[in-house]
Amino acid sequence: MSPDAMIAHFVGAAALILVAAHAGGWLAQRLKQPYIVGQLTVGIALGPSLLGHTAPGAYQALFPKEISPALMGFSQFALVVFLFAVGYELDLKVLGDRARASVTVALAAFVVPMAVGSGCALLFREQLRDLGMPRDLSPGMVVFAGVALSITAVPVLTAIVRENDLSRTVPGVVAVSAAGLLDVIGWTVLAGALMQSGGEKVLDWPWRVGLAVGFVTVMVLVARPVLRKLLWGTRMEPSLRLALLLGFALGSAWVTHSLGLHVIFGALLAGVVVPREKGGTLDPDLLRPLHDAGSLLLPFFFVISGQSVALDSMDATGWVTLVVVTVLAVVTKIGSSTVAARLGGLGRHDAWTVGVLMSTRGLTELIALNAGFQAGLLSKPLYTVLVFMALATTLLTQPFLLLTRRLAERDRPGTPTHTTGTPPVGQPPDGTPTTPVADVS
């Protein structure tokens, strides 16, 4: 294919991806579902399993192999921008007065699904062989199975909290802050799994661990003070500041990729390292364009994710595995988070609300699955199962949240406040209206 023809194909494919994915997101919102559910569904529909199977000629014309590197490049750039913003927004100070409950929920919501996922990987190795996994699973594969069940998607959770007017309620703040802390734990464990088995293995994993620790140290002790002096001590144009920090994020992503990790870790680390404004606030001139660029380009990531979904590999074992994995993902997350929230002092219905919110996986799960698949920790059939698990658990969040709210209302018919028993969802145990405890937006 000539360069001109390749450019023409890429431009046409990009137009289709952007329009179709955002239309799918808009439709999902109309159906009271998160935006990314529609985008992921469109990404799968544009992949080989649906479009490639029903209209192979159109699929080959739209997505020839020659443009795959360009699509992959755009998807990785979108991930870097998106996760750079996630890291920049990450602030564990939001724990505030609910630190005990949030830490308890975060630990339980990670440890229990992690143990169940890793245990099932060891117990059901024969069934996993039917899904293309090797007979002897590597430690990285076992750990990744646990990580896949333990992830919570902070961006999607935050959007659901906002849409349900829970941003300034106790369960909303506990869920968001616990998910942020869980993100730190989950990404760290995922980095260890990828470090042990991922990449081209130019260096042995102990060397990569040592270099990664050294890189993190340099970023925290050197890069952060330099950035603070540069951003606070000069009057830099917003566009120049954005270009500088995006270059910083891309460079950090390149380093972690070279160490056998994924670009996602460098992007997250760069976002965490960048200092906030002097008052501890986020810089709107930085955050707004990051969100705009990330939301615009993320459909390329969804399409790349959908390209690896293989519906034709889903036999009876695959569908049974999907049901089992989805049930385990929902039960372990909601159950562990609810019990932990109760132990942290929340009322019964508030605890259930926290549990349901923590079961949201969405985009963060897809990013982790994509990284694991690229590192060889997942076979294509198992990757397909886990992608549909992520989609199913995200779809179930809103109905479960509505059910929890209705159960709370049923227990207190016609009473706006309640002085005995469990308070309504979103109110503290004494029945008084919830005061703004934190701004999680």
Side-chain angles (χ1 to χ4, degrees):
M1 181 182 293
S2 67
D4 287 343
M6 186 176 67
I7 292 173
H9 276 84
F10 175 76
V11 170
L16 175 63
I17 290 169
L18 290 174
V19 173
H22 285 288
W26 173 83
L27 181 59
Q29 283 189 323
R30 300 282 290 183
L31 297 175
K32 305 299 182 183
Q33 290 294 337
Y35 200 80
I36 70 126
V37 169
Q39 291 186 315
L40 176 60
T41 304
V42 169
I44 295 173
L46 292 177
S49 295
L50 291 180
L51 180 62
H53 181 73
T54 57
Y59 177 76
Q60 290 298 328
L62 287 169
F63 303 108
K65 292 182 179 180
E66 288 81 358
I67 70 169
S68 295
L71 291 175
M72 177 64 75
F74 261 70
S75 72
Q76 297 303 296
F77 179 78
L79 280 185
V80 169
V81 174
F82 173 78
L83 289 170
F84 177 57
V86 170
Y88 181 60
E89 289 183 289
L90 183 63
D91 183 13
L92 296 183
K93 292 178 182 178
V94 74
L95 294 175
D97 296 333
R98 294 286 170 174
R100 174 171 163 263
S102 299
V103 172
T104 304
V105 170
L107 292 177
F110 180 79
V111 172
V112 174
M114 180 78 190
V116 171
S118 298
C120 287
L122 294 173
L123 288 174
F124 299 104
R125 283 176 288 186
E126 291 301 320
Q127 288 76 9
L128 291 178
R129 283 187 63 200
D130 295 337
L131 293 174
M133 297 296 288
R135 177 188 294 272
D136 297 320
L137 300 177
S138 68
M141 292 175 179
V142 175
V143 171
F144 189 85
V147 173
L149 254 64
S150 62
I151 285 175
T152 295
V154 177
V156 180
L157 184 151
T158 304
I160 292 175
V161 164
R162 288 171 180 167
E163 291 168 3
N164 287 272
D165 296 324
L166 295 172
S167 296
R168 293 180 177 272
T169 66
V170 170
V173 172
V174 169
V176 170
S177 53
L181 181 58
L182 189 151
D183 246 16
V184 175
I185 302 171
W187 288 120
T188 304
V189 175
L190 178 59
L194 296 179
M195 186 72 73
Q196 191 274 334
S197 58
E200 298 177 356
K201 295 190 177 181
V202 178
L203 296 172
D204 292 334
W205 73 267
W207 282 99
R208 296 205 303 274
V209 171
L211 290 172
V213 171
F215 176 63
V216 172
T217 303
V218 170
M219 290 284 281
V220 174
L221 299 182
V222 179
R224 185 177 178 85
V226 170
L227 286 172
R228 183 184 293 114
K229 186 175 181 179
L230 184 64
L231 297 177
W232 291 2
T234 61
R235 290 189 175 184
M236 194 179 299
E237 289 291 331
S239 58
L240 179 59
R241 180 189 305 173
L242 177 63
L244 173 67
L245 293 178
L246 271 182
F248 174 67
L250 290 166
S252 177
W254 173 79
V255 171
T256 56
H257 178 75
S258 301
L259 293 176
L261 291 168
H262 199 278
V263 298
I264 57 179
F265 297 102
L268 274 170
L269 178 60
V272 171
V273 165
V274 171
R276 297 187 171 205
E277 297 293 280
K278 290 185 178 181
T281 59
L282 297 170
D283 181 3
D285 291 331
L286 173 62
L287 205 57
R288 191 179 302 110
L290 286 176
H291 282 163
D292 291 343
S295 62
L296 178 66
L297 296 177
L298 272 177
F300 288 94
F301 170 73
F302 291 118
V303 169
I304 291 296
S305 300
Q307 297 281 325
S308 301
V309 171
L311 286 174
D312 53 356
S313 68
M314 291 286 285
D315 54 11
T317 301
W319 291 112
V320 170
T321 304
L322 173 59
V323 173
V324 172
V325 168
T326 302
V327 171
L328 285 176
V330 172
V331 171
T332 56
K333 267 291 188 183
I334 295 181
S336 61
S337 301
T338 300
V339 172
R342 288 288 282 159
L343 293 175
L346 272 69
R348 178 161 55 97
H349 293 296
D350 280 0
W352 276 111
T353 301
V354 171
V356 170
L357 290 171
M358 292 296 291
S359 185
T360 305
R361 285 172 175 84
L363 180 57
T364 307
E365 177 82 13
L366 293 178
I367 293 172
L369 293 179
N370 188 265
F373 181 69
Q374 291 181 9
L377 298 176
L378 293 174
S379 63
K380 184 170 284 191
L382 185 56
Y383 172 81
T384 301
V385 167
L386 293 176
V387 166
F388 278 108
M389 179 273 289
L391 185 61
T393 52
T394 306
L395 282 168
L396 289 171
T397 301
Q398 190 64 38
F400 281 168
L401 199 58
L402 181 61
L403 177 61
T404 302
R405 180 171 294 173
R406 287 181 176 175
L407 289 175
E409 292 172 351
R410 187 191 66 179
D411 288 349
R412 291 167 301 277
T415 55
T417 58
H418 203 67
T419 56
T420 60
T422 305
V425 174
Q427 290 190 9
D430 61 2
T432 57
T434 300
T435 56
V437 291
D439 184 2
V440 297
S441 60

